[in-house]
Structures are given as C-alpha cells and as structure tokens.
Amino acid sequence: MSPLDNLMKHLSRLPGLGPRSARRMVLHLLKRREAVMLPLIEAMVKAAQDVKGCSECGNLGGTDPCEICRDNGRDRGLICVVEDVADLWALERSHAFRGLYHVLGGTLSALEGVRPADLRIEKLLERVKSNDTREIILALNATVEGQATAHYVAERLAPLNVSITRLAHGLPVGGELDYLDDGTLAAAMQARRKAG
Amino acid sequence: MSPLDNLMKHLSRLPGLGPRSARRMVLHLLKRREAVMLPLIEAMVKAAQDVKGCSECGNLGGTDPCEICRDNGRDRGLICVVEDVADLWALERSHAFRGLYHVLGGTLSALEGVRPADLRIEKLLERVKSNDTREIILALNATVEGQATAHYVAERLAPLNVSITRLAHGLPVGGELDYLDDGTLAAAMQARRKAG
C-alpha cells in the first residue's frame, strides 16, 4: 500500500472521519508539511509519550497524580464519579464543581462483558476509606447502563460513612454528559440530591 | 501548554475538525496508543517523508513521476487539466478517464493574488509541445475562478496544434468537482465538447 493510501486508511478509522474527510485532511497535511504536518506529528509523539493516566482519579494529563488531584485549592471532601475522561472534561468546562473526580472507565454491561472488576470501583472505595471524603456525587450518564452502574456503585458505597448524591434531573433522559451545554450541567450540579 | 492541550490545539485546526471533535479524537487516540495512535504517527511520518509531488503532472504519490504518468496502459495523447489533486482523485474514482492529468495547483484570482506564473501553466505548455498530445480536457470547477482560469489556459494553448475540450455541463453551476458523485462525473467526461 502506498504511504498515501496507508495514511488515509489510518485517518479514516478515527471517530468522526470517513474516507472523504480523511482525503481532505491528507491533502491539507501534505500541502503544509512544515507548517502543519510536522508540528502535528511532534504534538502526537509528545502526547503519546508524556500523557499518563492519574493513578488516583483516572484523569489523563501530563503528570501523575493529575493537576486536579494535586490542586490544594479544591475541596478534597467531594468526589465526583464519572464514566469517562470526556465527562470529567465536560464538568470542568462548566466550572460547576471544585472537588475531586473519579473516572470509572466505563459502565457495567452484561452485553459487552464489562464487570465491576473492569471498572475502577475498588480504587474509589479505597479513596473514600483513606481520605476525609464526605460526599460522593454520582455524575453518570442518564442512560440505562449509566444508571445501573450508579445504582451498583451506590450499593457498594452504602456501608461507608459518606453521603451519596446524584446529579439533578435536568439532563435529558437518554442523553449523555459530554453532549450537554455548560449551563445545563451547572444547573444539574447545583440541584443534586440524595441517592436512593 | 500541556501535551494534551497542545495536541488538541493542533488537531482542532485541521479542516472539518472543531474543538469538540478534536477532544473526542484525542481521547480515542490516547486510550488506544499501541493499536491506533502509534500506527497513525508512523503512517504520518512515512507520508511526510515519502510522498512527493510528480514533477510532470503535479499529482501526489510515492514516486516521481507518479504512478499515473508511468502507466504505459494509459492514453498519453490525452491530458486532463484539473485545479487540485483532490479533483484528480475524484476523476480517478469515477473511472471515466484513462489519459494523463495536469494539476494546475489552483485558479487565477486577482483577489488572492494568484497570477498565471503561480500555476503550473508553463509546464503544461511544455508537456504539450514535447509530447504527442492531441487533446487537452479542461476539467476545472464550474466556479467563476475555475471558468476564468479555463478561459486563460485555452487562450495559451490556442497557438499549439491541439484540440481543447471542456467537461460537459452536467456538473451543477457553482459546484465543485471534488463533491460530485462518480456517475455525474462520468457523464460529464463522456459528453465533453470543443472549447470556445
């Protein structure tokens, strides 16, 4: 396969790109090798080498623990549990939350064979036990899998002396966190209520 | 800037990508470093190093002259003139043409300061003179700039003993080659007529 077709093949597999947009991108890159393509390659190499998962919360960043976990200005008694790093970023953009996060890394799913051990649930229990956590906010997506996972996590947290809350409904049923506008996210964060 | 933000910045500048799709892409890549990100980096490095412009026709490919210019099965008496490599690729996908190509590299534009010397017009004249070219097909976009450029190129070719044709109208007025379906492209190629 020619280097051109090979690059096109790799690009067209990325989310949101098809054969057509991959072609346009390849031409754009090859016409601007010095100005666009080489800096992009460099940025990718650097990210592939330097970006690590935070061993505490599961966020991605240049350091471990991540910037959020190391920020002493944040309320360390609050942990907001999310499915994915994208959800963490969405909440950060909304500026509605100044505590810590915990990224589960997915949702329980019998169909896709995702069991509790595949998510970062034990690590969450460990964090709650070894820190002065007073509230866990379950900010999972309002999907069937997200809510089932929230239910399971709440059950596992129940024996611990910690308040468990969920995001207020305000997020549309069936919707996903990462797609919400900042205002709705902020409103949902504000009106969170006791789980159960 | 963190390696994460830096990569996001570079990706979001690519055509068709905004901040949101760049974020999704970055997460997709970082979660699949071995399977997706490193092979993509490798493909980009290889393309940046090995893809060259064809010194004859201006096409992009792994060799110079390109595969099309080296293909002895093609009709070397026919040259199809296009604005951009993307247009050449679109015609190749339509399988409507089995001659050679000539990529101008743009259109004349007083506004953007593109003069005849900025396009590969001299090279086209040279190719026509030194080869047994019997027909030039002006397959430029049906835009004002494309048609003005076609007119100019036809004038420059007039003194040479070569038949000049244009793509049949069939392509929508104001439309661009690279956006057409293969059937329309093939029909337009079939019904091409004398210029002027």
Side-chain angles (χ1 to χ4, degrees):
Chain A
M1 192 181 293
S2 83
L4 209 63
D5 293 333
N6 186 44
L7 177 54
M8 223 112 69
K9 187 192 75 182
H10 278 93
L11 280 175
S12 62
R13 284 183 190 156
L14 297 180
L17 289 187
R20 190 187 157 70
S21 40
R23 277 198 304 272
R24 292 182 75 84
M25 202 169 280
V26 165
L27 280 177
H28 180 89
L29 290 172
L30 287 171
K31 284 180 190 168
R32 296 161 189 83
R33 270 177 239 210
E34 297 296 325
V36 178
M37 193 170 190
L38 298 184
L40 173 60
I41 290 174
E42 205 178 309
M44 287 184 71
V45 168
K46 203 141 180 43
Q49 282 171 351
D50 294 352
V51 174
K52 19 192 164 297
C54 175
S55 54
E56 278 300 302
C57 74
N59 186 19
L60 288 171
T63 56
D64 179 18
C66 73
E67 263 183 56
I68 294 173
C69 285
R70 293 191 309 167
D71 182 351
N72 284 319
R74 300 186 77 113
D75 186 342
R76 310 189 81 80
L78 280 175
I79 295 181
C80 179
V81 178
V82 293
E83 290 177 23
D84 198 89
V85 175
D87 301 327
L88 186 162
W89 291 354
L91 282 164
E92 279 298 287
R93 286 197 301 280
S94 79
H95 301 292
F97 181 67
R98 292 294 297 167
L100 304 178
Y101 291 95
H102 193 85
V103 179
L104 288 180
T107 48
L108 298 175
S109 165
L111 237 97
E112 294 175 28
V114 182
R115 294 152 309 153
D118 299 321
L119 304 179
R120 301 178 68 255
I121 296 175
E122 291 303 326
K123 178 70 193 173
L124 174 62
L125 299 176
E126 186 191 305
R127 284 180 78 192
V128 173
K129 279 175 199 158
S130 60
N131 293 287
D132 285 336
T133 309
R134 62 176 193 283
E135 180 179 349
I136 300 281
I137 304 165
L138 300 174
L140 303 182
N141 288 327
T143 55
V144 176
E145 294 83 11
Q147 294 309 300
T149 307
H151 190 79
Y152 178 84
V153 172
E155 262 183 1
R156 294 290 303 275
L157 288 166
L160 307 175
N161 184 25
V162 62
S163 168
I164 304 166
T165 57
R166 296 189 182 178
L167 287 192
H169 269 304
L171 52 164
V173 174
E176 300 189 9
L177 267 196
D178 190 30
Y179 284 86
L180 279 186
D181 64 280
D182 299 352
T184 312
L185 271 173
M189 179 61 72
Q190 207 74 60
R192 66 186 185 263
R193 57 185 177 72
K194 277 251 179 208
Chain B
M1 193 182 292
S2 85
L4 209 64
D5 292 333
N6 186 43
L7 176 55
M8 222 113 69
K9 187 191 75 180
H10 278 92
L11 281 175
S12 63
R13 284 183 189 156
L14 296 180
L17 289 187
R20 189 187 157 71
S21 39
R23 277 198 304 270
R24 291 182 77 83
M25 202 169 281
V26 164
L27 279 177
H28 181 88
L29 290 171
L30 287 171
K31 284 180 190 167
R32 297 160 188 82
R33 270 178 240 211
E34 297 296 326
V36 178
M37 194 171 190
L38 298 185
L40 173 61
I41 289 174
E42 206 178 309
M44 286 184 73
V45 169
K46 204 144 176 46
Q49 281 170 352
D50 293 353
V51 174
K52 18 191 165 298
C54 175
S55 54
E56 279 300 301
C57 75
N59 185 18
L60 288 171
T63 56
D64 178 18
C66 73
E67 265 183 54
I68 294 173
C69 285
R70 293 192 309 169
D71 182 352
N72 285 320
R74 300 186 78 112
D75 186 343
R76 309 188 83 77
L78 281 175
I79 295 181
C80 180
V81 179
V82 291
E83 291 177 22
D84 197 89
V85 175
D87 300 329
L88 187 163
W89 292 353
L91 282 164
E92 279 299 286
R93 286 196 303 278
S94 79
H95 300 292
F97 181 66
R98 292 292 300 166
L100 304 179
Y101 291 95
H102 193 83
V103 179
L104 289 180
T107 48
L108 298 174
S109 166
L111 238 97
E112 295 176 27
V114 183
R115 295 152 310 152
D118 299 321
L119 304 179
R120 301 178 69 254
I121 296 175
E122 290 303 326
K123 177 72 193 173
L124 173 63
L125 299 175
E126 185 193 304
R127 285 179 76 192
V128 173
K129 280 175 198 160
S130 61
N131 293 287
D132 285 336
T133 309
R134 63 178 192 283
E135 182 180 348
I136 300 282
I137 304 165
L138 299 174
L140 303 182
N141 289 327
T143 53
V144 176
E145 295 82 11
Q147 293 309 301
T149 307
H151 190 79
Y152 178 83
V153 172
E155 262 183 1
R156 295 290 304 275
L157 288 166
L160 306 175
N161 183 26
V162 63
S163 170
I164 303 166
T165 55
R166 295 190 183 178
L167 287 191
H169 271 301
L171 51 164
V173 173
E176 300 190 9
L177 268 193
D178 190 29
Y179 284 86
L180 279 185
D181 63 278
D182 299 352
T184 312
L185 271 172
M189 179 63 72
Q190 208 75 57
R192 65 185 185 266
R193 58 187 177 70
K194 276 254 180 202

